[in-house]
Amino acid sequence: DGKPVNINMAANLRLACVFFALIASALAGCDGTFNNYSIWTQNPRFVSNVTNGLLYSADAGPGNTLRIAHVYGSAYEMGYAQGQLFRSDILQFYSEFEDYIDQMIQPYIKNLPKDVQEVIEKYGAMAALQFTADLTKPYTPQHFFDEMKGLADAIGIDYANVVRINMFPELIKASCSMLGAWGPALAFPDNQLIQLRALDFGIDGPFVKHPALIVFHPTEGHSFASLTWTGFVGTVTTFSGIMGVSEKVWLHYNLTASRAGIPFHFLLRDIGQFDTCLDDTINRLNNAKRTCSIFVGFGANHSKQFRVGMYGHEEVLVYNDFNYPSYLPSHPKLEGLVYVDKHTQPSDDTCMGGLMQRYHGTISPEIVIRNIVGPMASGDLHAAVYDFSNQHMYVSVAGSPPGQPSSTTVVPAHARPWLRFDAAALLRQTL
């Protein structure tokens, strides 16, 4: 029409179109969006201490605080220290848990062994937890019972109830996502390993109000950090600097199942406390008296590699980046990368596979947090990224909207600000 064209404006519009096209491409098939919050990197604030424990707080802003407890000594002493540090919180959590467990367990009953289903139908979920405790007791290492006894003694509550409540992961399954990336998958491939654990367990229960990062300093084994809940001695998310652990339910396991074995969350904790390499964990998985079926993700600082174990009552199958089943287009095989999305496997969802292809060769902790976990919308209750080479542990937990601590709205972990901890400093912390 004869009017002059602003060349800079036209160029900017073209760049904007390219930018939004790239965003649309990266998010294709995904339910979430990028996480652009700043990552908190400051030092935790000291709060209090007891004979064998220290309590700190990571104050990442209004509505985003996470407690860090260090517990030391024998199993009994560590349990006692946790009970002292979190007494009122544990009492509240246990009370809320007992009120909620019957409702919480309903979606999972059909996947439980028939004998457990019958106990729930006749006597309720708490009775099923006792039934599980009885079945697993002969196969559970004594140090777990010692720790639960210490916790019960410190608080002054019934030891048997502590044991029952600590059985809940055996009855309730979580969706979850995981990945391990090394070598050619990374932005900086020399001698690195990055691991994701995203826990999808729902954000409508009592767990949202009672998160904690507990760093165990045992007299046997080595120190390890567990992203968990107060009053819980097992782990589903742990990093020792030597080993990292991820977990997800294996729903399509179709062989026999049993609850007469070691509770899987106790086995996962023993990986964090005692194992030093991939072979240690593979041997532990194979030699365990196994109960329910899960995917176990485990990374090792020694080899800077990650494996996924499909862990069931009758068998264990271990996969790396070459032998993991590839099914297109949802799960392409990529060198230096093993991953499992939050859906039932084999998954036909294309989100995670598409993101793996998009970011293969550029993966870093920040890319995982901002460009992978966010778009996948995985990790609603909590999520963690383990950076083995830099000995960093990144975590996020569900909670109120950032800057709104009094809000009753619960925002999933993947959509909230993350916190970065110096894991090496946490693990060498002394009393």
Side-chain angles (χ1 to χ4, degrees), residues 387-411:
D387 179 351
F388 283 79
S389 292
N390 294 305
Q391 290 289 286
H392 288 155
M393 184 178 186
Y394 297 77
V395 306
S396 183
V397 297
S400 59
Q404 303 177 45
S406 60
S407 174
T408 57
T409 299
V410 178
V411 177

Side-chain angles (χ1 to χ4, degrees), residues 94 97 101 104-105 112 116 125-141 144-145 148 159-173 201 207 231-234 259 261-266 291-292:
Y94 282 9
F97 178 88
I101 181 63
M104 180 168 58
I105 207 170
L112 295 172
V116 179
M126 289 302 291
L129 292 174
Q130 182 62 57
F131 183 64
T132 301
D134 294 339
L135 286 174
T136 58
K137 183 177 180 179
Y139 310 98
T140 300
F144 289 107
F145 296 115
M148 290 185 283
Y159 161 70
N161 202 43
V162 173
V163 175
R164 279 192 291 272
I165 290 174
N166 270 270
M167 291 297 109
F168 81 84
E170 282 287 309
L171 299 188
I172 300 169
K173 303 300 180 291
F201 191 40
F207 299 91
F232 185 58
V233 304
R259 286 303 179 271
I262 180 171
F264 79 82
H265 50 291
F266 289 168
T291 56
C292 53

Side-chain angles (χ1 to χ4, degrees), residues 103-122:
Q103 172 189 341
M104 180 168 58
I105 207 170
Q106 289 304 315
Y108 310 102
I109 292 176
K110 64 180 182 295
N111 297 315
L112 295 172
K114 291 296 183 184
D115 53 354
V116 179
Q117 292 185 36
E118 290 172 2
V119 173
I120 293 171
E121 290 167 1
K122 290 181 180 179

Side-chain angles (χ1 to χ4, degrees), residues 356-422:
M356 296 300 96
Q357 285 187 303
R358 169 70 178 81
Y359 293 108
H360 185 263
T362 66
I363 290 175
S364 66
E366 290 77 13
I367 287 291
V368 173
I369 289 167
R370 300 189 187 287
N371 296 39
I372 295 176
V373 178
M376 286 195 310
S378 184
D380 59 7
L381 188 55
H382 75 222
V385 172
Y386 317 135
D387 179 351
F388 283 79
S389 292
N390 294 305
Q391 290 289 286
H392 288 155
M393 184 178 186
Y394 297 77
V395 306
S396 183
V397 297
S400 59
Q404 303 177 45
S406 60
S407 174
T408 57
T409 299
V410 178
V411 177
H414 60 75
R416 298 183 79 236
W418 284 64
L419 300 84
R420 189 189 77 189
F421 295 101
D422 181 342

Side-chain angles (χ1 to χ4, degrees), residues 68-117:
I68 305 102
H70 293 264
V71 293
Y72 299 80
S74 66
Y76 181 89
E77 289 169 334
M78 292 191 298
Y80 200 94
Q82 187 188 162
Q84 288 179 304
L85 292 171
F86 290 128
R87 183 180 188 277
S88 61
D89 194 272
I90 293 171
L91 288 171
Q92 181 183 358
F93 179 37
Y94 282 9
S95 175
E96 293 168 348
F97 178 88
E98 291 184 49
D99 290 341
Y100 186 69
I101 181 63
D102 284 301
Q103 172 189 341
M104 180 168 58
I105 207 170
Q106 289 304 315
Y108 310 102
I109 292 176
K110 64 180 182 295
N111 297 315
L112 295 172
K114 291 296 183 184
D115 53 354
V116 179
Q117 292 185 36

Side-chain angles (χ1 to χ4, degrees), residues 87-329:
R87 183 180 188 277
S88 61
D89 194 272
I90 293 171
L91 288 171
Q92 181 183 358
F93 179 37
Y94 282 9
S95 175
E96 293 168 348
F97 178 88
E98 291 184 49
D99 290 341
Y100 186 69
I101 181 63
D102 284 301
Q103 172 189 341
M104 180 168 58
I105 207 170
Q106 289 304 315
Y108 310 102
I109 292 176
K110 64 180 182 295
N111 297 315
L112 295 172
K114 291 296 183 184
D115 53 354
V116 179
Q117 292 185 36
E118 290 172 2
V119 173
I120 293 171
E121 290 167 1
K122 290 181 180 179
Y123 307 109
M126 289 302 291
L129 292 174
Q130 182 62 57
F131 183 64
T132 301
D134 294 339
L135 286 174
T136 58
K137 183 177 180 179
Y139 310 98
T140 300
Q142 183 60 40
H143 63 89
F144 289 107
F145 296 115
D146 294 343
E147 190 167 332
M148 290 185 283
K149 183 65 166 66
L151 191 147
D153 288 351
I155 302 173
I157 56 177
D158 179 30
Y159 161 70
N161 202 43
V162 173
V163 175
R164 279 192 291 272
I165 290 174
N166 270 270
M167 291 297 109
F168 81 84
E170 282 287 309
L171 299 188
I172 300 169
K173 303 300 180 291
S175 297
C176 313
S177 303
M178 64 179 75
L179 71 81
W182 66 93
L186 301 180
F188 308 102
D190 293 339
N191 198 34
Q192 289 195 18
L193 170 64
I194 293 167
Q195 180 175 341
L196 165 69
R197 190 281 189 266
L199 173 60
D200 293 294
F201 191 40
I203 53 177
D204 59 345
F207 299 91
V208 170
K209 295 185 285 184
H210 305 280
L213 181 64
I214 302 181
V215 187
F216 295 85
H217 304 270
T219 53
E220 297 182 359
H222 43 252
S223 298
F224 62 98
S226 174
L227 185 59
T228 184
W229 307 277
T230 57
F232 185 58
V233 304
T235 188
V236 294
T237 304
T238 192
F239 183 56
S240 67
I242 302 169
M243 301 294 296
V245 177
S246 309
E247 175 272 337
K248 166 189 170 59
V249 65
W250 180 12
L251 280 178
H252 278 185
Y253 173 83
N254 57 8
L255 301 177
T256 62
S258 171
R259 286 303 179 271
I262 180 171
F264 79 82
H265 50 291
F266 289 168
L267 179 138
L268 298 184
R269 172 170 157 169
D270 276 352
I271 294 173
Q273 183 170 344
F274 297 108
D275 291 0
T276 61
C277 64
L278 295 176
D279 284 344
D280 283 351
T281 300
I282 292 170
N283 289 334
R284 183 180 297 280
L285 299 180
N286 278 309
N287 294 329
K289 182 71 172 177
R290 297 179 296 275
T291 56
C292 53
S293 54
I294 58 171
F295 289 83
V296 181
F298 50 103
N301 199 30
H302 176 264
S303 59
K304 298 292 193 295
Q305 290 200 10
F306 174 84
R307 299 288 184 266
V308 168
M310 296 171 71
Y311 169 100
H313 176 59
E314 290 192 24
E315 64 181 6
V316 174
L317 307 172
V318 178
Y319 293 100
N320 58 29
D321 54 333
F322 291 106
N323 69 352
Y324 195 87
S326 175
Y327 33 93
L328 299 175

